[in-house]
Amino acid sequence: MRKINFSAGPSTLPQELLKEAQEQLCDYKGLGYSIMEISHRTKIFEEVHFDAMRKAKELYGLGEEYEVLFLQGGASLQFAMIPMNLAMGGVCEYANTGVWTKKAIKEAQILGVDVKVVSSSEEEKFSYIPKVEFSDNADYAYICSNNTIYGTQYKKYPKTKVPLIVDASSDFFSRKVDFSDIALFYGGVQKNAGISGLACLFIRQDMLERSRAKNIPSMLKYAIHAENNSLFNTPATFAIYMFHLEMQWLLNLGGLDEINKKNTQKAQLLYESIDLSEGFYKGHARKEDRSLMNVSFNIANNELESIFIKEAEEAGMIGLKGHRILGGIRASIYNAITLEQVKTLCEFMKAFRKKYA
Ligand SMILES: *Cc1c(COP(=O)(O)O)cnc(C)c1O
């Protein structure tokens, strides 16, 4: 029996994709070997690689203006690659909304970049998305779309006059976004669009120009990866293969608007279970900034939290333990979590409350 898996990342995958990968694992399309066992320079792999790029762009409705890059090192390597490639000697502005922006800020500071934190919600445990106004002359403006630990999410990105950079690791491919100010949109794919080992970037051509002019090591240089179609060195071939399956799956579902509808429904149901619990459960994020992906909450009587997690596990639900920073409970309800699975959790929450309230 498969468990209902609310893990924050790596996370549950659509079962049909696991089955498809399983079927093809030893013998890819009748060739007599697996996709993992061949050169990334073969036509067979290249077809997967380039089709994954095409479909990723199709889902977001992007054209020639953006290049897709498949890189390794997770989202975390981007915290350093971004200032390395895109800082121009001016100020780089960040909105600080949680652990992941703090890490991005730190890496830029290590590189000696002139970092300015223009807004922060740290004083209130990152429970909301602070209002932010980026200046007109920064090298770039940086935000994190969805804060995986605190369960907050930008409903809309701030308008900027300067290139906007978005870490979308934990709401990647979960909804359409307005790209008009976005110069770089990126994430590790292991939360919402595949398995670990692969970071996917949508980078605008003018950012590649910036990168081209920089004297930095090849593996850290966007322009080099773009010129080589992300085949400069051996990419994470199996992760790209899984990502490709995910892109097909999303297109078959009807694209990002469709998945967003499902995600919205799921989140509403779960937040209702918190809000209608008469204070038994307490959501962490402010209502207006609640994430559709990560639902972080506590039980007013904290001592019940470990019992909740244990009993949930016994009922077949895993990955509900909150991040150690917040404690409590976190249900990550990414694309691959079904409405039925969320309903099961909600029913469990109701029964648990009846038992212990
Ligand atoms: C998980 C996460 C990261 C870090 O991803 P890695 O692939 O582990 O480096 C960065 N940003 C956000 C928003 C995340 O959720």
Side-chain angles (χ1 to χ4, degrees), residues 221-237:
K221 186 160 166 159
Y222 293 140
I224 295 267
H225 289 290
E227 277 155 26
N228 290 279
N229 298 312
S230 299
L231 292 163
F232 174 69
N233 72 319
T234 315
T237 55

Side-chain angles (χ1 to χ4, degrees), residues 73-77 79 100 144 146-148 167-170 188 190-191:
S76 298
L77 184 57
F79 300 160
W100 298 114
C144 178
N146 181 77
N147 297 283
T148 324
D167 174 0
S169 293
S170 54
Q190 70 271 22
K191 283 159 188 150

Side-chain angles (χ1 to χ4, degrees), residues 8-10 73-79 99-101 103 142 144-149 167-171 186-191 196-199 294 330 334:
S76 298
L77 184 57
Q78 295 313 311
F79 300 160
V99 163
W100 298 114
T101 51
K103 290 191 181 193
Y142 184 103
C144 178
S145 181
N146 181 77
N147 297 283
T148 324
I149 293 169
D167 174 0
S169 293
S170 54
D171 61 0
Y186 80 97
V189 307
Q190 70 271 22
K191 283 159 188 150
S196 62
L198 174 65
N294 310 97
R330 171 174 53 173
Y334 299 125

Side-chain angles (χ1 to χ4, degrees), residues 4-5 12 37 56 61 78 102 119 133 138 159 180 188 213 260 276 300:
I4 303 178
N5 179 0
T12 195
E37 300 170 297
Q78 295 313 311
K102 279 177 82 165
S119 70
E133 254 185 72
K159 292 298 292 173
S180 48
N260 181 44
L276 302 178

Side-chain angles (χ1 to χ4, degrees), residues 47-174:
E47 269 174 20
V48 171
H49 184 85
F50 289 112
D51 199 49
M53 287 179 170
R54 263 194 304 277
K55 289 192 157 78
K57 273 173 95 169
E58 187 183 339
L59 282 162
Y60 279 113
L62 299 176
E64 302 268 286
E65 212 186 337
Y66 293 85
E67 293 278 342
V68 178
L69 300 181
F70 290 152
L71 305 180
Q72 296 176 62
S76 298
L77 184 57
Q78 295 313 311
F79 300 160
M81 279 179 77
I82 287 161
M84 269 184 173
N85 283 269
L86 307 181
M88 305 283 282
V91 180
C92 298
E93 296 188 341
Y94 287 73
N96 185 21
T97 53
V99 163
W100 298 114
T101 51
K102 279 177 82 165
K103 290 191 181 193
I105 289 161
K106 184 175 168 210
E107 294 303 300
Q109 284 168 337
I110 289 171
L111 287 162
V113 167
D114 188 358
V115 173
K116 191 171 160 204
V117 178
V118 291
S119 70
S120 171
S121 50
E122 187 162 18
E123 83 293 348
E124 288 191 40
K125 273 193 172 177
F126 296 116
S127 58
Y128 68 100
I129 299 286
K131 286 235 171 331
V132 58
E133 254 185 72
F134 293 106
S135 59
D136 296 350
N137 53 5
D139 285 351
Y140 60 76
Y142 184 103
I143 63 168
C144 178
S145 181
N146 181 77
N147 297 283
T148 324
I149 293 169
Y150 304 93
T152 61
Q153 184 179 29
Y154 284 87
K155 299 293 167 237
K156 256 191 177 166
Y157 299 147
K159 292 298 292 173
T160 61
K161 295 230 169 69
V162 300
L164 178 64
I165 296 175
V166 182
D167 174 0
S169 293
S170 54
D171 61 0
F172 225 5
F173 298 93
S174 70

